[in-house]
Amino acid sequence: MASPVGWMVAPATTPFTVVSILTSARDRAIAIQSLAVSRSSSCPKTGLPWWQTGSEATGRRLPDKLRGRCIAGAQLETRLMTLRPNDLHRPGSAVPLVPYLKSMWSFRRYAVALAKARVESTNAETALGRVWLLGEPLLFIAVYGTIFGLILDADRGVENFIGFLAAGQILYRHNSQSLQQAASSIRTFEAQIQTMPVPRILFPITSVLSTFFNQVPAFGVMLVLLVATGERPSLAWLFIVPIIGGQFLLNLGLGAILARAVAHLPDFANILTHVFRALLYASGVVFPIRAFVEERENGELFLSLLTIFNPIYAYLELGRWALMDISPGSAGLVILSASCWSIGSLIVGVLWLRRVELRFGFGQIRNAP
Amino acid sequence: MTKIEALTGVTFDLYRGECVGFVGGNGAGKSTLLRTIAGICAPTEGDVLVRDQPWLLGVQASLLPRLTGHQNIVIGLLSLGLTDEEVARFAPDVANFSNLGAALDRPFKTFSSGMRARLKFSIATVKRPSILLLDEALAVGDLNFKRRSIRRLNTLRDNATTIKMVSHNTQEIRRICDRTIWLDGGKLVRDGSTNDVIDAYEAAQNAVSALEQTQDDASAG
């Protein structure tokens, strides 16, 4: 079987826009042989030099009469030209990393516009619309505050348990909602993916962006609730900006990874709901998990493992440290884990998703060739 | 797992300013070929190389149903990679050419299929792309819009845009394309001047119809 070859041969002065698909061994042989032939040859039928057989040499399209006879010669002749790989590239986003990233950047306005449109359309689905962006966290706090604060008495000496819940839930939701949206982004944007040759990484990014836009009012609610429950705003509150930024990067990276995983195996989406339910507890959203772990034997070790393997926990610790002055067990490890996960997952996510870039054009890649 | 070989051993070169039609029965691989050229799916073997990013105008929706026509023009132009200034400059042209008037203030989901096709055609052709791929793009517009579209395609072609179009309307191909490629079962049957290829294609279609007719007659009689 012939190995896949692509030869694109075009004249140095580039009079032609050429699309060439050479797959067979025969074509490859012709191309290789032709390269050895002089480039000044002419159309075998009309005797015109090759550059007059194309459309631009004459300024206009060639008359049909002449054209029909010359086309074979012209096609052959394009294969005689020097190889100019720099002039030609693969279409779409199947390009090397640097042009890929440039192309991604050039579509940033599109991603933002698409994300905003998505925010509007999801909010238009319910009668109360945007009100739910504020109502949802409040209901959550009411339910979990009653269960964990009043009934189970699991606050372990946290003075402001309502504030603790507000900061935890709203920051956690930023991660969990973004990641779940990003995980299903290949399906959500299927229509776009099947008709537009833009870098596929844009679609998990768009999901993460639209969730972020939706979360902005909730971040406001969080600050209001903290003040209402007796926290004093301080300069340390400014740290919430890089913390949310770090969460955002983590969402982009892990989101890209999940997007590809779900595209490979759609069944994975069913497990994700439970993963995030487990993470709700494992990140200490609704109770001070650190106090519980430290009570145990080998508590220190487990706490380190939790910090290293659960970046969402690390970000919640950082958030509560900045907003409520609850210092994390080991500040250095928490900061290290959070930043390594954000940057590392972003690099892995972009590279890993890019490898199957064009297979998404077939829909779910499990069924793709 | 279903694997379909949509295209095998298809090799051709296309030149600037050429307008190429693709004909063939349903499932012949025409749309897959256009999507491959656009860089939406990758060939499992072989390669596609282009000098510039082709713009694909398909029948599927990539515009957003809840947004108005005007908002969709902006998002459509951004999706083609235009800058802010270009979007501001070209948006009025798109609205004009689509000739949808006040309907552009309504959500896109209220548009009929013909109106949707008009808007998409207007967006994709406003800035001169160097390679334009049309997949049944003229099938749904009304007569008047079809004529204006053909005029616009001719202008684009004369300005060195390479146009590749898939259509089942052979008359349309005869009017616009100077070269035609006939695909069948994922293979290239014929590649040449439009009149030759369409004549052969129509003759083959007629022969098949005639054969089916005789078979029907035979079974009925």
Side-chain angles (χ1 to χ4, degrees), chain B residues 113-130:
Chain B
S113 59
M115 291 160 75
R116 284 168 201 226
R118 274 161 70 163
L119 189 60
K120 279 196 264 179
F121 183 88
S122 313
I123 291 172
T125 55
V126 68
K127 196 190 167 194
R128 193 185 304 152
S130 59

Side-chain angles (χ1 to χ4, degrees), chain B residues 1 8 46 57-59 65 78 84 98 101 121 136 141 145 157 160-161 164 179 215 217:
Chain B
M1 200 188 279
T8 40
L57 186 61
V59 277
L78 287 174
D84 282 353
S98 73
F121 183 88
E136 291 286 355
F145 187 76
R157 185 186 56 188
T161 294
K164 285 144 226 181
R179 175 178 164 200
Q215 280 168 348
D217 290 349

Side-chain angles (χ1 to χ4, degrees), chain A residues 234-257:
Chain A
S234 68
L235 275 181
W237 279 31
L238 289 178
F239 278 112
I240 201 65
V241 176
I243 290 169
I244 292 174
Q247 279 192 311
F248 185 78
L249 295 183
L250 181 71
N251 292 339
L252 293 180
L254 285 183
I257 296 171

Side-chain angles (χ1 to χ4, degrees), chain B residues 16-74:
Chain B
R16 186 176 294 176
E18 221 176 18
C19 184
V20 186
F22 291 94
V23 292
N26 298 122
K30 305 182 296 292
S31 299
T32 307
L33 182 62
L34 283 202
R35 281 150 47 86
T36 310
I37 294 174
I40 287 165
C41 8
T44 39
E45 244 182 80
D47 219 341
V48 179
L49 288 157
V50 292
R51 194 165 295 292
D52 211 343
Q53 175 59 44
W55 289 10
L56 173 70
L57 186 61
V59 277
Q60 302 101 314
S62 60
L63 299 180
L64 301 164
R66 283 174 195 274
L67 298 190
T68 66
H70 283 297
Q71 287 170 317
N72 266 307
I73 291 177
V74 172

Side-chain angles (χ1 to χ4, degrees), chain A residues 296-308:
Chain A
R296 303 252 158 180
E297 208 181 323
N298 292 329
E300 289 288 310
L301 176 69
F302 282 119
L303 198 64
S304 306
L305 290 177
L306 182 68
T307 316
I308 291 169

